[in-house]
Amino acid sequence: MKEDFLHYLWQYKKFDVSALKTVQGESLIILHSGSNLQNQGPDFFNAQIMIENQRWAGNVEIHCNSSDWYVHNHETDPNYENVILHVVWDHDIPVFRKNNVEISVLEIKNYVAKEALEQYFNLTSKKNWIYCENQLKDVDLFILKNFQEK
């Protein structure tokens, strides 16, 4: 699993958002996924979510494993103090702020459709010359010729 794919899933809500729960068992509603930051700091800026009946606005950090929080030393970086949600593929350990409060975690793998995963793995497998090579036969010939001419 790659973080870029998790960013895509989060940004475009390409997973079942109808009945989300944090790993702590709290209900979660995504009001706004935030702006994807390419700079230093959390991955998504100014997200808005509801955890239980509390509205939160702040940053969202995304990792493949929740333990990556410590691998990347976020616990000592002040840029990560305003993280309101940690989105991970696999929750392997709890993550805490400096004040020893646990950060809410969404383990996203439980909400992603099997078809989306298969499509992702098929597109990113290294066995093809280009990632979408197998899908070229499905592209309308007019569109393909127009693309080639440009």
Side-chain angles (χ1 to χ4, degrees):
M1 185 54 55
K2 294 189 178 185
E3 273 188 36
D4 287 347
F5 181 58
L6 300 180
H7 287 207
Y8 166 78
L9 292 173
W10 175 259
Q11 183 171 4
Y12 298 105
K13 297 180 188 168
K14 296 292 186 179
F15 55 98
D16 183 6
V17 297
S18 61
L20 296 174
K21 293 267 186 201
T22 66
V23 297
Q24 293 87 353
E26 305 160 311
S27 64
L28 172 67
I29 299 171
I30 303 166
L31 303 172
H32 176 60
S33 57
S35 302
N36 189 355
L37 295 177
Q38 301 296 322
N39 307 358
Q40 182 180 357
D43 297 315
F44 286 85
F45 173 72
N46 204 22
Q48 295 179 33
I49 60 175
M50 294 281 292
I51 298 178
E52 292 296 318
N53 292 321
Q54 177 67 48
R55 186 179 186 126
W56 292 84
N59 302 324
V60 173
E61 179 65 7
I62 297 178
H63 288 122
C64 294
N65 302 300
S66 50
S67 58
D68 291 341
W69 181 272
Y70 296 109
V71 171
H72 300 158
N73 298 312
H74 295 331
E75 76 279 10
T76 61
D77 189 336
N79 290 317
Y80 293 85
E81 280 299 302
N82 292 328
V83 169
I84 58 172
L85 184 67
H86 193 200
V87 178
V88 300
W89 184 256
D90 185 42
H91 178 62
D92 54 351
I93 62 167
V95 172
F96 297 90
R97 290 187 179 85
K98 284 183 183 178
N99 64 0
N100 221 22
V101 172
E102 187 174 0
I103 298 173
S104 295
V105 176
L106 173 64
E107 188 175 48
I108 201 169
K109 72 179 176 185
N110 301 320
Y111 301 99
V112 178
K114 182 180 177 183
E115 296 80 22
L117 282 175
E118 288 172 357
Q119 192 174 34
Y120 167 70
F121 288 121
N122 286 338
L123 284 172
T124 59
S125 67
K126 296 294 184 192
K127 60 187 172 193
N128 297 330
W129 177 61
I130 57 174
Y131 290 136
C132 61
E133 166 180 345
N134 293 334
Q135 285 76 30
L136 286 177
K137 68 183 179 329
D138 300 327
V139 176
D140 182 85
L141 189 58
F142 175 77
I143 293 172
L144 188 58
K145 290 292 183 190
N146 192 14
F147 172 76
Q148 289 173 333
E149 288 174 7
K150 287 184 179 182

